[in-house]
Amino acid sequence: MPSFNDDIQGTGAVVLAGVLNACRMKGEALRDQVVVVHGAGAGGAGVALAIREGMRREGLSEAEIAGRVFVLDSRGLLTDDRHMEDYKRDLATPRALTDGWAGTDLENVIREGQATVLLGLSGQAGIFSEGVVRAAHANTTRPLVFPLSNPTANTEALPADILAWTGGQAIVATGSPFDPVRLHGETHEIGQGNNAFIFPGLGFGAILARVREVTDEMVTAAAYALAEYTQANHPGRTYPPVDELSHASIHVAVAVIRQALADGVATEFTLRGQSDAELLDTVKRKFWQPKYLPFRPRE
């Protein structure tokens, strides 16, 4: 039975989509960023792997990626000379890259690595302190700061604080829902990086294509499809409004089917040769619409 791990792959895909949109908002590319992922559990690992895959797609070599994606756990930066769980080894930074650094704690990694993107999946409330956020802001005019841990009580920093510490310059997205922040006469929408933007469309596309397996490329295609949907419909946001989930899911499903066909794992042969417009029509026709009959209380 085809399956995928939403905690790892779904989280990675939705965060990659938000980072891609935030990069576009500041007129840069993912390959231009230096990313710090704080938290090396399943979600953090999934995010780091997704970011690395996005950088590969944009032409960076493995050596270049090693100097642009830094992952920390509760003991600090993952380096290849440390004792750690096996799944973390692919995320470790070569120790040689840190020679001469003042330290490998969060704030020093941001400073020494010249980080421009800060992603929180640690579950540690308040770990993105004012000093940490200001360190990221010192490296770029518009830092990307995503405190993604749930629930709200565990979020790494509050959006209002992040924006206040950066003079409204940070691009912020969260894992929990937050109200817009009003600062210096401007309203800042806070995008919610919810896995529900990925897994319904990914699962639906996989079912319609009758796939033999869910490939990594299909998951990445879902991330890019969500980013494209947001860019087309909400160019000033990292994520669409949650009430557009069904529309975003249709767009994701089309991209997933197209990638499944390219990967040779789709067994629904009637989809072969269909244009994007035809695939879109197929998905819309098969998409469940919640229509309920009227009812009245029994007298």
Side-chain angles (χ1 to χ4, degrees), residues 2 204-213 260 265-269 271:
F204 191 43
I207 290 169
L208 292 182
R210 297 173 62 87
V211 300
R212 293 192 300 273
E213 64 177 294
V265 297
T267 65
E268 181 51 69
F269 303 120
L271 299 176

Side-chain angles (χ1 to χ4, degrees), residues 135-215:
H137 193 203
N139 298 328
T140 178
T141 303
R142 303 201 68 191
L144 278 55
V145 185
F146 288 16
L148 296 164
S149 290
N150 287 313
T152 305
N154 291 348
T155 192
E156 286 81 4
L158 298 177
D161 289 337
I162 296 168
L163 288 163
W165 295 333
T166 61
Q169 292 299 302
I171 300 175
V172 183
T174 58
S176 299
F178 280 91
D179 292 331
V181 174
R182 188 79 176 162
L183 183 70
H184 303 322
E186 290 187 38
T187 299
H188 300 263
E189 298 288 342
I190 308 301
Q192 185 185 357
N194 193 316
N195 289 26
F197 281 122
I198 294 293
F199 66 75
L202 176 56
F204 191 43
I207 290 169
L208 292 182
R210 297 173 62 87
V211 300
R212 293 192 300 273
E213 64 177 294
V214 177
T215 65

